[in-house]
Amino acid sequence: MTLPRHDVVSGLVAELGSFHQLIADFTDEDWARPTRCEAWTVGDMAAHVTGTMADITAGRVDGIDTQEWYDRQIEERRGRSPRQLSSELDEVIKATDDLMGGIDQAAWDGPAPPGVAGTLGAGIESLWCGIYIHREDLLAALERPPARGEGQRAALSYTVDVLTDRGWGPATLALDGVEEISIGSGGARIGGDPLAFVLVATGRADPGILGLDDRVNIYS
């Protein structure tokens, strides 16, 4: 079930702020490093996050959530330095905050834009999840410790919602430091690190580490 509107709206803006803070200090060497997303450098991933939110806040949603949409965003920002992209993202954060402030509960519970499944609220939670995961991708690329906090909570919530909608399970997530989550009725108990589960469920880690198989990957 999607997290409460206030939590998601404030969490998305805060997550963008954390992403901005991370990339603002990157060097050109950092920018060129590969990430665990095939064919994307650190700079490409930063362009992807910035471009996605720039398009959404400007209403450029034709082709939303397609590879072509994402590829265009990266190509449009090819060659920009960390400082230049950080400056654009600063403006995007302000636009995101303004946009989120205009969404009432009725709109939140209503349908997402064409091309995005589920409610508008679920679509916004997926953005928060995606930005958190991409911040983790950058931290991993630079061999820095992972981040936890509210972004991890949103990513876990979103992945559980997708798995539930797909009929995955049944299973009980008994992950460290979070309340147990039932997917279906009964099934195996899955323990361990919540971030490890999120990375497995988003195709970034071997599902075998949690005794699972590829069906847990929400992007497959």
Side-chain angles (χ1 to χ4, degrees):
M1 184 175 181
T2 306
L3 295 173
R5 175 169 60 98
H6 176 271
D7 292 2
V8 177
V9 166
S10 61
L12 171 62
V13 175
E15 194 67 50
L16 280 169
S18 296
F19 194 91
H20 177 274
Q21 186 176 24
L22 177 63
I23 70 170
D25 293 329
F26 281 176
T27 65
D28 291 341
E29 182 180 358
D30 295 333
W31 214 233
R33 288 196 188 197
T35 70
R36 53 193 171 196
C37 291
E38 186 178 353
W40 279 9
T41 64
V42 166
D44 291 336
M45 188 163 288
H48 162 62
V49 170
T50 303
T52 294
M53 295 310 301
D55 277 358
I56 288 172
T57 55
R60 295 187 295 267
V61 295
D62 287 346
I64 190 170
D65 205 23
T66 63
Q67 192 60 51
E68 292 77 13
W69 195 62
Y70 297 136
D71 289 344
R72 173 184 56 75
Q73 293 157 358
I74 292 173
E75 286 305 316
E76 287 175 350
R77 291 161 179 82
R78 186 76 66 195
R80 294 190 191 179
S81 68
R83 182 175 179 180
Q84 289 170 323
L85 205 61
S86 177
S87 179
E88 182 187 8
L89 184 55
D90 189 47
E91 295 302 315
V92 168
I93 292 171
K94 295 173 185 175
T96 301
D97 196 17
D98 290 343
L99 181 64
M100 293 298 108
I103 298 173
D104 61 17
Q105 193 64 47
W108 184 262
D109 294 333
V116 179
T119 65
L120 178 61
I124 294 172
E125 186 179 76
S126 76
L127 290 174
W128 185 8
C129 170
I131 295 165
Y132 169 77
I133 290 295
H134 286 321
R135 182 157 66 100
E136 283 304 309
D137 291 333
L138 298 190
L139 290 170
L142 273 70
E143 300 180 345
R144 297 185 187 179
R148 302 286 180 169
E150 289 299 293
Q152 178 181 273
R153 176 184 173 222
L156 183 60
S157 172
Y158 178 68
T159 54
V160 165
D161 282 351
V162 174
L163 291 172
T164 300
D165 289 345
R166 289 186 177 182
W168 181 83
T172 298
L173 303 185
L175 303 170
D176 301 340
V178 299
E179 293 184 3
E180 289 192 4
I181 303 170
S182 295
I183 302 177
S185 178
R189 289 177 63 82
I190 301 168
D193 182 0
L195 179 56
F197 181 82
V198 168
L199 294 177
V200 163
T202 56
R204 286 163 167 78
D206 181 357
I209 65 174
L210 296 178
L212 302 172
D213 59 34
D214 289 340
R215 289 175 297 171
V216 74
N217 183 353
I218 65 173
Y219 297 133
S220 63

